[in-house]
Amino acid sequence: PTVPADADDAWIDYVHDGDTLFLTDGRKVRLLGVDTPEVGEHAECYGDVAREHLRELLPEGTHVRTVADERPLDPYGRSLLFLFTDDGALVNLELVRDGYAEAVVLEPNVLWADELEAAEDEAQTASRGIWGAC
C-alpha cells in the first residue's frame, strides 16, 4: 500500500510493546490489524523481541504518517491506526511480514486486510519470527 494523500503527520513519543505506542500529541495508539505477543507480567514468547523491533523501527521522535479506518478508537480509548514511515513502509504490514506479529482483522476495520493476511501466510510458511521461534 502507498501512503494515502490524506494521512496525518505524527511523531513517536514512546513504544510500549510490539503493537502499542504513544505519540507526542498524547494519543495512545494500538496498531491496527496486528497482534504481537505480550510483555511484562503476562509475557509470551517473542514479546520482548517484538517490542525491541518496533522500538528500532520507530525510535522516539520518528515522524510517521497515520491512517485511521472505519472505527478510530477501541473500547479503551486508544487510537486505532496504521502507521507509515517516511520511506513509505506500512509498519503494521512489516511487523506481520517479518514474523513479529500475527494479522488480526476485526470488522469494520478491514483496510489492507488482504495484504495483512497474505503477509502472515508468507511469514508462517517461511517460519519467520514467532512462527519459527515459538
Side-chain angles (χ1 to χ4, degrees):
T2 57
V3 182
D6 62 350
D8 292 322
D9 290 297
W11 289 265
I12 303 300
D13 182 38
Y14 174 75
V15 170
H16 173 73
D17 62 22
D19 54 32
T20 309
L21 53 91
F22 294 87
L23 300 176
T24 57
D25 64 9
R27 284 185 288 171
K28 186 174 186 178
V29 173
R30 176 66 168 75
L31 296 177
L32 266 172
V34 304
D35 188 36
T36 61
E38 297 300 319
V39 298
E41 184 181 338
H42 302 287
E44 297 175 322
C45 175
Y46 226 68
D48 289 339
V49 176
R51 175 181 55 200
E52 292 312 309
H53 180 69
L54 189 57
R55 286 179 175 170
E56 289 171 13
L57 280 177
L58 302 174
E60 292 176 16
T62 299
H63 174 258
V64 291
R65 303 293 306 279
T66 68
V67 177
D69 203 344
E70 292 298 313
R71 184 175 296 143
L73 298 174
D74 73 4
Y76 307 104
R78 297 177 294 189
S79 294
L80 298 172
L81 296 172
F82 289 101
L83 300 182
F84 285 89
T85 59
D86 283 343
D87 64 3
L90 177 53
V91 171
N92 313 52
L93 185 60
E94 296 296 319
L95 291 173
V96 174
R97 181 179 291 136
D98 294 338
Y100 293 97
E102 56 185 306
V104 177
V105 178
L106 302 172
E107 293 184 358
N109 292 336
V110 297
L111 187 62
W112 298 309
D114 292 343
E115 291 87 344
L116 289 163
E117 290 169 350
E120 179 180 287
D121 290 345
E122 179 186 317
Q124 281 183 326
T125 299
S127 296
R128 270 190 228 115
I130 57 176
W131 307 111
C134 303

